[in-house]
Every structure is written in C-alpha cells, then in structure tokens.
Amino acid sequence: MSTKYLFLNAKLADGTVSDIEVSDDRISAIGVGLESSDAERIDCAGLVALPGFVDLHTHLREPGFEQSETVLTGTQAAAMGGYTAVHAMANTSPVADTAGVVEQVAALGREAGYADVYPIGAVTVGLEGKQMAELGAMANSKAQVKVFSDDGKCVHDPVIMRRALEYVKAFDGVIAQHAQEPRLTEGAQMNEGAVSAELGLTGWPSVAEESIIARDVLLAEHVDSRIHVCHLSTAGSVEIVRWAKARGIKVTAEVTPHHLLLTDELVRSYDAVYKVNPPLRTQKDVEALREALIDGTIDIVATDHAPHPIEAKDCEWNAAAFGMLGLETAASIAQEVLIESGRSNWSRLAEVMSINPAKIARDANAGQALEIGNVANIAFIDPSAKRTVVAESASKSVNNPYVGLELPGRVIHTVYRGYLTVRNGELAKAGRN
C-alpha cells in the first residue's frame, strides 16, 4: 500500500518554516507552498520537525524477559518518544552473543514495524567476561551488527577489551563499554557521598567509573580503534573524555536523560524507582554533564531504557533491580536541558538525539537530514506543550522516575519510513508489517 503525506508549515531545526512531502518511505519534496492533490494534508504549524530519533542504548528484554518488555511494546514506547530506530542491548536470555540471536531480535523488530531495531552483540560469551563472543559472525549475519557491549557488566579484563577493540576494526565496529570497575562496586547501592553515608547504603564511588574509562581510552588509542562510553555519570568522567578527545583518541560518549535531571538526593525516599546503574550522582555532576552535552564533549543522549516488572521494583531498596524507563520522556528532558535553558538550540538536539547516534553505530538509513530523497523518518514536536508525566505507558513496565513531574514538549507525530506510527500524540497501527 502506498502512502503520501503533506506536512504543512513545520519549523525545521534551523528555524525556517517549510512543508514536507512524504511519498512511500522517502521525503519527496520540501519547501514553502507545496501542493500535492493526492496526499493527506496534516497541519504542523507550531511543531518542530526533526530527524527521527535514534537510541543507542535500549533494553527490549526479548527474548527471555517478556514479562518486562517485548520488542513490540518497546518499539511502541520508542515511537511515542519520537524514535524511529533503537539499538537493543545484548543482555537477553539467551544472551545476544551469536548470529542466531541477533538475527532473531532484528526479525522481531521488522515484524513489530514501529522502528528499526538494531541488535547490539555481546562482547563476551554469556556476558561472563571470560571468552570473546563471535563478533565477526554477528557482524556478517543478516543483522549486520556494528555495536558490541556487555552492558550491565563491564568488560573488566584488559586483554579481552584490547582484543575486542582490535577485532571490530575489520568491519568498522565499535565497543560500547559499561564502565564499572567490579571490585570497587561490590555491594554498591547508590552514589558514594554524603547521602549514602547518612542512609547507611553501600556507596558507588566515581572512581569505579572513571578508572575504567581512563583505561579504555588508552587501549583504544593503543590499537587505534573506536570506543564508546555508555551512560557517563560523573564530572570526572567528563574530564577524561574531554582529555581523550583533545588527544585525538576515537572516543564517543553518551549521557542518559536521568543523569541530566535527577540527583542522589532522591534516594532519601528509598523509592527503588530511583535505583539505577550507574547511580544518580550529585548536582555538581549533573551540571558537568549538561555542560559537556552542550559543548560537544558528550556526543549523544541515550536512554538506557530498562523496564522491570512491578515486583522487581516494589520491594526493599537493597533487593530492587537497577534501571528505569526513558524512551517516552527523553526528548522532553533534552528540550529542558538544551532549549528551555536557553543554552543551545534545536540543531544540537537533533545532533545528540538522532544524527550522532546513527553515525556512531554506522546506521545507513537512520539519523538522516530532512532532505529530498532521504528516508522519511521524522519526529514532530510541540515545543510549547507542558505535560505532567503519568504512569500509563506504551511500555509493558511502569518503573518511570518522572511520574508527577511536569516536562516541556510533546511528540505529536512520528513518521517511520514514511508511515505514521504516532498520530496526534496517539499510537497508530504500524504500517510496515
């Protein structure tokens, strides 16, 4: 079935107002005063049109943990947040450490039809950190994996990390590291500092993250390979990445929405919705992360969307699982940090939410500019909207730390490969089944 839309009077990232014609899966025309007699006309006055968002750090939980999330519900949540591509982390069951599993995840994404699903392959077999996984087989599979990570577990063996960095060079891949020195975080429950001391919870020192990042950027320099640092959370980590980039090391870094907005003061509530890995840090860290996102030291915003069933969160703090939702609210928090603060602009938001993550992952059809001939992946945002976050979600889980907060902006329409997956703020039926 062919589709044709004419989105009228949308504001582009550079501030100009334009019409956008979409035919099938491509942008077929863009300009002022477009006419298209056979297209559905959709008024977008007051909306900002950006390239569809790309998340480099999503947990879709399938296969193995479908009680928390499925590829279908996870990509529906992604669509509601303006995403048209997500990268699914490898910590599933079975672990995504073979060509068979990554092809299964990619196939589930195509079947769901709400976003491109790019599986992330595990660096080590079973995420156990002992034996390198079949990186080449996953890269050469139908899923064409380019990003590898043991997310949730740090690749702490420096020899394995060096070999992995060397291996992925053959196909222009990247290692995405969960920077957590395991010995320094044994039993850790929250950020190490004044609050952890007052609450009597085992602290998670900043140096546990920073020491791994320092080691890894030097390894990446030594073998001239690409390293991507997952979810930076400390001011010290920012300084290491800044130093490495100045030195010419091939390092990129991400920050999560929650590390841009929330602090460890929230742990005083003992509400496990705020339990996350790496932990929420201090206001000083939050300010450093925001500045780094604005000045380009941090390349992207990635959600680390981590759904959990109610029983994994509605329990004592020490027993609760790490992780929180993020796909449906990420754009609002990026707007709060970059736009509402007056410190940056929509072009930078498009870079950190779409263009840069696609470049890091070498996604051929994602993160493209809104230009004639490019794949029609578009997020339309109402920047003037204010919304109080509610627990109801397209995700299968409800561990959302923003419930009750008022956030700016709202995704009104999401166009994925030429089809509306979100229309007027509501989930639409997927068009590419």
Side-chain angles (χ1 to χ4, degrees), residues 285-344:
D285 294 305
V286 167
E287 293 301 325
L289 294 167
R290 290 183 172 196
E291 185 61 37
L293 185 67
I294 292 167
D295 71 20
T297 302
I298 293 177
D299 303 86
I300 66 171
V301 172
T303 68
D304 194 8
H305 175 83
H308 289 292
I310 291 175
E311 59 270 22
K313 282 294 196 178
D314 189 14
C315 57
E316 292 183 1
W317 180 276
N318 285 355
F322 292 95
M324 50 184 60
L325 302 186
L327 284 168
E328 293 171 80
T329 46
S332 290
I333 295 168
Q335 180 180 330
E336 173 75 25
V337 171
L338 297 175
I339 311 299
E340 301 300 308
S341 68
R343 300 171 71 186
S344 194

Side-chain angles (χ1 to χ4, degrees), residues 81-92:
Y83 288 91
T84 53
V86 297
H87 290 257
M89 274 296 174
N91 54 349
T92 51

